[in-house]
Amino acid sequence: MTRPSDQAARTAKRLAALGHRVVLAPALEIVPTGTAPPEGEFDLILATSAQAFAGGAPKPSLRALPVACVGERTARAAEASGFRVALVAPRAEALAERLVAEMKPASALYFAGRERKPVLEDRLRAAGWAVAVVEIYDARPVAGWPDEVLAALRDGRIDAVLHYSPRSAGAALSLIGGAASRLSHFCLSQDVADICARWAPTERIFTASQPDEEALLKLLCSVEPLRGD
Protein backbone atom coordinates (compact mmCIF):
# COMPACT_ATOMS: atom_id res chain seq x y z
CA MET A 1 0.00 0.00 0.00
CA THR A 2 1.84 3.07 -1.29
CA ARG A 3 -0.62 5.84 -0.33
CA PRO A 4 0.43 8.58 2.14
CA SER A 5 0.17 7.40 5.74
CA ASP A 6 -3.15 8.99 6.70
CA GLN A 7 -4.89 7.60 3.61
CA ALA A 8 -3.10 4.24 3.69
CA ALA A 9 -4.32 3.34 7.19
CA ARG A 10 -7.96 3.68 6.17
CA THR A 11 -7.49 1.58 3.02
CA ALA A 12 -5.41 -1.00 4.90
CA LYS A 13 -8.35 -1.72 7.21
CA ARG A 14 -10.56 -2.38 4.21
CA LEU A 15 -7.97 -4.67 2.64
CA ALA A 16 -7.52 -6.60 5.88
CA ALA A 17 -11.28 -7.08 6.09
CA LEU A 18 -11.14 -8.57 2.59
CA GLY A 19 -8.53 -11.09 3.70
CA HIS A 20 -5.37 -9.41 2.42
CA ARG A 21 -2.17 -8.93 4.40
CA VAL A 22 -1.05 -5.33 4.03
CA VAL A 23 2.41 -3.79 4.13
CA LEU A 24 2.28 0.00 4.51
CA ALA A 25 4.91 1.65 2.30
CA PRO A 26 3.95 5.28 1.57
CA ALA A 27 5.75 6.57 -1.51
CA LEU A 28 4.84 10.21 -0.87
CA GLU A 29 4.49 12.34 2.23
CA ILE A 30 2.02 15.24 2.40
CA VAL A 31 3.45 18.46 3.78
CA PRO A 32 1.91 21.95 4.13
CA THR A 33 3.47 24.64 1.98
CA GLY A 34 2.64 27.54 4.29
CA THR A 35 1.45 29.56 1.29
CA ALA A 36 -1.08 32.27 2.18
CA PRO A 37 -4.15 32.78 -0.03
CA PRO A 38 -4.21 35.78 -2.34
CA GLU A 39 -6.13 38.89 -1.34
CA GLY A 40 -9.52 39.46 -2.89
CA GLU A 41 -13.22 38.73 -2.66
CA PHE A 42 -14.35 35.22 -3.52
CA ASP A 43 -17.71 33.54 -4.00
CA LEU A 44 -16.69 29.99 -3.12
CA ILE A 45 -13.84 27.62 -2.36
CA LEU A 46 -12.79 24.70 -4.55
CA ALA A 47 -11.02 21.58 -3.31
CA THR A 48 -10.17 18.23 -4.85
CA SER A 49 -8.54 16.52 -1.85
CA ALA A 50 -9.12 16.22 1.87
CA GLN A 51 -5.52 17.40 2.26
CA ALA A 52 -6.75 20.89 1.38
CA PHE A 53 -8.27 21.12 4.86
CA ALA A 54 -5.64 19.31 6.89
CA GLY A 55 -4.53 22.58 8.48
CA GLY A 56 -7.92 24.28 8.66
CA ALA A 57 -8.70 27.52 6.85
CA PRO A 58 -5.71 29.78 6.08
CA LYS A 59 -7.74 32.58 7.70
CA PRO A 60 -11.05 32.39 9.60
CA SER A 61 -12.96 34.69 7.25
CA LEU A 62 -12.76 32.06 4.51
CA ARG A 63 -14.97 29.68 6.52
CA ALA A 64 -17.96 31.81 5.56
CA LEU A 65 -17.56 30.74 1.93
CA PRO A 66 -19.36 27.66 0.54
CA VAL A 67 -17.19 24.79 -0.69
CA ALA A 68 -17.46 22.87 -3.97
CA CYS A 69 -15.32 19.76 -3.83
CA VAL A 70 -14.38 16.39 -5.29
CA GLY A 71 -15.29 13.31 -3.26
CA GLU A 72 -17.14 12.60 -0.04
CA ARG A 73 -13.91 12.34 1.92
CA THR A 74 -12.98 15.88 0.90
CA ALA A 75 -16.46 17.03 1.86
CA ARG A 76 -16.15 15.47 5.33
CA ALA A 77 -12.75 17.11 5.84
CA ALA A 78 -14.18 20.50 4.83
CA GLU A 79 -17.10 20.16 7.23
CA ALA A 80 -14.79 19.05 10.05
CA SER A 81 -12.83 22.27 9.49
CA GLY A 82 -15.96 24.38 9.85
CA PHE A 83 -16.90 24.89 6.21
CA ARG A 84 -20.30 24.49 4.60
CA VAL A 85 -20.19 22.13 1.63
CA ALA A 86 -22.50 23.23 -1.17
CA LEU A 87 -21.56 20.81 -3.94
CA VAL A 88 -19.80 17.44 -4.22
CA ALA A 89 -18.85 15.68 -7.45
CA PRO A 90 -16.97 12.41 -7.98
CA ARG A 91 -14.23 13.87 -10.19
CA ALA A 92 -12.74 17.25 -11.10
CA GLU A 93 -14.23 17.13 -14.59
CA ALA A 94 -17.69 16.48 -13.19
CA LEU A 95 -17.32 19.27 -10.64
CA ALA A 96 -16.38 21.76 -13.35
CA GLU A 97 -19.34 20.67 -15.50
CA ARG A 98 -21.81 21.10 -12.65
CA LEU A 99 -20.47 24.49 -11.63
CA VAL A 100 -20.65 25.79 -15.19
CA ALA A 101 -24.15 24.38 -15.66
CA GLU A 102 -25.60 25.48 -12.30
CA MET A 103 -23.91 28.82 -11.61
CA LYS A 104 -23.09 32.02 -13.40
CA PRO A 105 -19.34 32.68 -13.76
CA ALA A 106 -18.01 33.50 -10.32
CA SER A 107 -14.80 34.12 -8.42
CA ALA A 108 -13.36 30.99 -6.81
CA LEU A 109 -10.42 30.26 -4.52
CA TYR A 110 -8.95 26.83 -5.19
CA PHE A 111 -7.24 25.09 -2.24
CA ALA A 112 -4.89 22.96 -4.33
CA GLY A 113 -1.90 20.68 -4.17
CA ARG A 114 1.35 21.72 -5.80
CA GLU A 115 1.35 18.69 -8.10
CA ARG A 116 -1.99 18.37 -9.89
CA LYS A 117 -3.72 18.21 -13.24
CA PRO A 118 -5.09 21.70 -14.00
CA VAL A 119 -8.42 20.30 -15.21
CA LEU A 120 -10.63 22.17 -12.76
CA GLU A 121 -9.15 25.64 -13.09
CA ASP A 122 -8.76 25.34 -16.86
CA ARG A 123 -12.36 24.30 -17.44
CA LEU A 124 -13.75 27.03 -15.22
CA ARG A 125 -11.55 29.77 -16.65
CA ALA A 126 -12.57 28.75 -20.16
CA ALA A 127 -16.19 29.30 -19.05
CA GLY A 128 -15.47 32.81 -17.78
CA TRP A 129 -14.74 32.07 -14.14
CA ALA A 130 -12.02 33.83 -12.16
CA VAL A 131 -10.03 31.13 -10.34
CA ALA A 132 -7.27 31.99 -7.88
CA VAL A 133 -5.11 29.02 -6.91
CA VAL A 134 -3.40 28.71 -3.54
CA GLU A 135 -1.13 25.66 -3.28
CA ILE A 136 -1.76 24.62 0.31
CA TYR A 137 -0.02 21.25 0.36
CA ASP A 138 2.67 19.32 -1.46
CA ALA A 139 3.29 15.61 -1.94
CA ARG A 140 7.00 14.79 -1.77
CA PRO A 141 8.69 11.45 -2.45
CA VAL A 142 9.90 9.72 0.69
CA ALA A 143 13.65 9.27 1.04
CA GLY A 144 13.31 5.53 1.56
CA TRP A 145 11.29 2.73 3.14
CA PRO A 146 11.78 1.05 6.52
CA ASP A 147 13.92 -2.07 6.64
CA GLU A 148 10.89 -4.32 7.18
CA VAL A 149 9.35 -3.15 3.87
CA LEU A 150 12.59 -3.69 1.98
CA ALA A 151 12.98 -7.12 3.57
CA ALA A 152 9.44 -8.12 2.56
CA LEU A 153 10.23 -7.14 -1.03
CA ARG A 154 13.57 -8.91 -1.01
CA ASP A 155 12.13 -12.10 0.48
CA GLY A 156 9.22 -12.27 -1.96
CA ARG A 157 6.56 -11.75 0.71
CA ILE A 158 4.81 -9.05 -1.34
CA ASP A 159 2.74 -10.14 -4.34
CA ALA A 160 0.98 -6.95 -5.43
CA VAL A 161 1.16 -3.16 -5.22
CA LEU A 162 -1.72 -0.67 -5.33
CA HIS A 163 -0.91 2.53 -7.27
CA TYR A 164 -3.11 5.64 -7.00
CA SER A 165 -1.39 8.31 -9.08
CA PRO A 166 1.34 8.59 -11.72
CA ARG A 167 3.58 10.48 -9.34
CA SER A 168 3.24 8.07 -6.43
CA ALA A 169 3.64 5.12 -8.81
CA GLY A 170 6.88 6.56 -10.14
CA ALA A 171 8.19 7.18 -6.62
CA ALA A 172 7.20 3.69 -5.44
CA LEU A 173 8.66 1.93 -8.45
CA SER A 174 11.95 3.75 -8.01
CA LEU A 175 12.15 2.33 -4.49
CA ILE A 176 10.99 -1.14 -5.55
CA GLY A 177 13.59 -1.31 -8.32
CA GLY A 178 14.15 -4.62 -10.06
CA ALA A 179 11.54 -6.42 -7.96
CA ALA A 180 8.82 -4.51 -9.83
CA SER A 181 8.95 -6.96 -12.72
CA ARG A 182 7.76 -9.88 -10.56
CA LEU A 183 4.95 -8.01 -8.74
CA SER A 184 1.36 -7.47 -9.83
CA HIS A 185 0.48 -3.79 -10.17
CA PHE A 186 -3.10 -2.62 -9.61
CA CYS A 187 -3.59 0.87 -11.03
CA LEU A 188 -6.29 3.47 -10.41
CA SER A 189 -6.24 4.74 -14.01
CA GLN A 190 -4.59 4.30 -17.39
CA ASP A 191 -2.05 7.08 -16.84
CA VAL A 192 -0.93 5.24 -13.70
CA ALA A 193 -0.70 2.00 -15.67
CA ASP A 194 1.46 3.77 -18.26
CA ILE A 195 4.03 4.53 -15.56
CA CYS A 196 3.99 0.92 -14.38
CA ALA A 197 4.54 -0.27 -17.95
CA ARG A 198 8.04 1.22 -17.79
CA TRP A 199 8.92 -1.17 -14.98
CA ALA A 200 6.77 -4.30 -15.31
CA PRO A 201 5.46 -6.59 -18.09
CA THR A 202 1.95 -5.97 -19.40
CA GLU A 203 0.55 -9.19 -17.95
CA ARG A 204 1.36 -7.95 -14.45
CA ILE A 205 -0.46 -4.61 -14.81
CA PHE A 206 -4.19 -4.29 -14.06
CA THR A 207 -6.25 -1.10 -14.43
CA ALA A 208 -9.47 -0.22 -12.59
CA SER A 209 -12.61 0.27 -14.67
CA GLN A 210 -13.21 3.63 -12.96
CA PRO A 211 -10.66 5.97 -11.32
CA ASP A 212 -11.85 5.39 -7.76
CA GLU A 213 -10.88 3.15 -4.88
CA GLU A 214 -14.04 1.07 -5.00
CA ALA A 215 -13.22 -0.03 -8.54
CA LEU A 216 -9.58 -0.61 -7.63
CA LEU A 217 -10.39 -2.87 -4.69
CA LYS A 218 -12.99 -4.71 -6.73
CA LEU A 219 -10.31 -5.35 -9.35
CA LEU A 220 -7.88 -6.60 -6.71
CA CYS A 221 -10.46 -9.07 -5.44
CA SER A 222 -11.29 -10.31 -8.93
CA VAL A 223 -7.70 -10.99 -10.04
CA GLU A 224 -5.36 -13.35 -8.28
CA PRO A 225 -1.93 -11.65 -8.22
CA LEU A 226 0.73 -13.48 -10.17
CA ARG A 227 3.34 -14.96 -7.90
CA GLY A 228 6.89 -13.79 -8.39
CA ASP A 229 9.42 -16.14 -9.95
Side-chain angles (χ1 to χ4, degrees):
M1 170 54 58
T2 60
R3 306 192 81 180
S5 298
D6 61 327
Q7 302 169 29
R10 177 175 56 88
T11 302
K13 290 181 180 179
R14 297 189 64 188
L15 288 167
L18 293 169
H20 299 284
R21 289 177 294 175
V22 183
V23 175
L24 298 181
L28 302 174
E29 57 181 351
I30 305 299
V31 295
T33 64
T35 304
E39 296 298 326
E41 297 292 327
F42 303 100
D43 299 307
L44 79 163
I45 289 171
L46 306 173
T48 55
S49 169
Q51 298 296 338
F53 302 100
K59 50 186 179 181
S61 62
L62 293 176
R63 288 194 180 92
L65 298 175
V67 173
C69 62
V70 172
E72 293 295 338
R73 186 167 178 268
T74 306
R76 290 193 295 271
E79 291 171 345
S81 296
F83 291 90
R84 177 178 63 85
V85 176
L87 180 62
V88 183
R91 293 180 294 278
E93 296 88 344
L95 181 61
E97 289 174 3
R98 287 195 60 183
L99 288 170
V100 170
E102 298 175 15
M103 293 182 62
K104 294 180 180 179
S107 177
L109 177 60
Y110 182 7
F111 288 180
R114 185 161 287 167
E115 294 288 334
R116 67 186 184 282
K117 293 181 180 179
V119 174
L120 185 56
E121 62 255 49
D122 286 355
R123 291 284 297 275
L124 291 177
R125 285 168 179 162
W129 286 59
V131 181
V133 178
V134 54
E135 294 177 344
I136 286 186
Y137 62 95
D138 191 16
R140 299 175 184 171
V142 299
W145 280 333
D147 290 342
E148 57 267 26
V149 176
L150 298 177
L153 281 168
R154 183 179 60 249
D155 299 342
R157 289 183 280 117
I158 294 177
D159 302 310
V161 187
L162 298 184
H163 298 287
Y164 285 78
S165 74
R167 190 158 183 252
S168 65
L173 289 162
S174 294
L175 293 171
I176 293 170
S181 62
R182 63 173 176 77
L183 300 174
S184 295
H185 300 269
F186 291 85
C187 306
L188 192 70
S189 61
Q190 185 57 51
D191 54 352
V192 177
D194 291 342
I195 299 296
C196 292
R198 303 173 187 173
W199 296 79
T202 302
E203 63 269 19
R204 292 187 180 271
I205 300 172
F206 307 91
T207 307
S209 59
Q210 298 291 330
D212 57 54
E213 186 170 81
E214 292 298 329
L216 185 63
L217 297 188
K218 183 178 180 180
L219 175 66
L220 177 65
C221 292
S222 68
V223 177
E224 183 174 349
L226 300 174
R227 302 293 178 178
D229 298 329

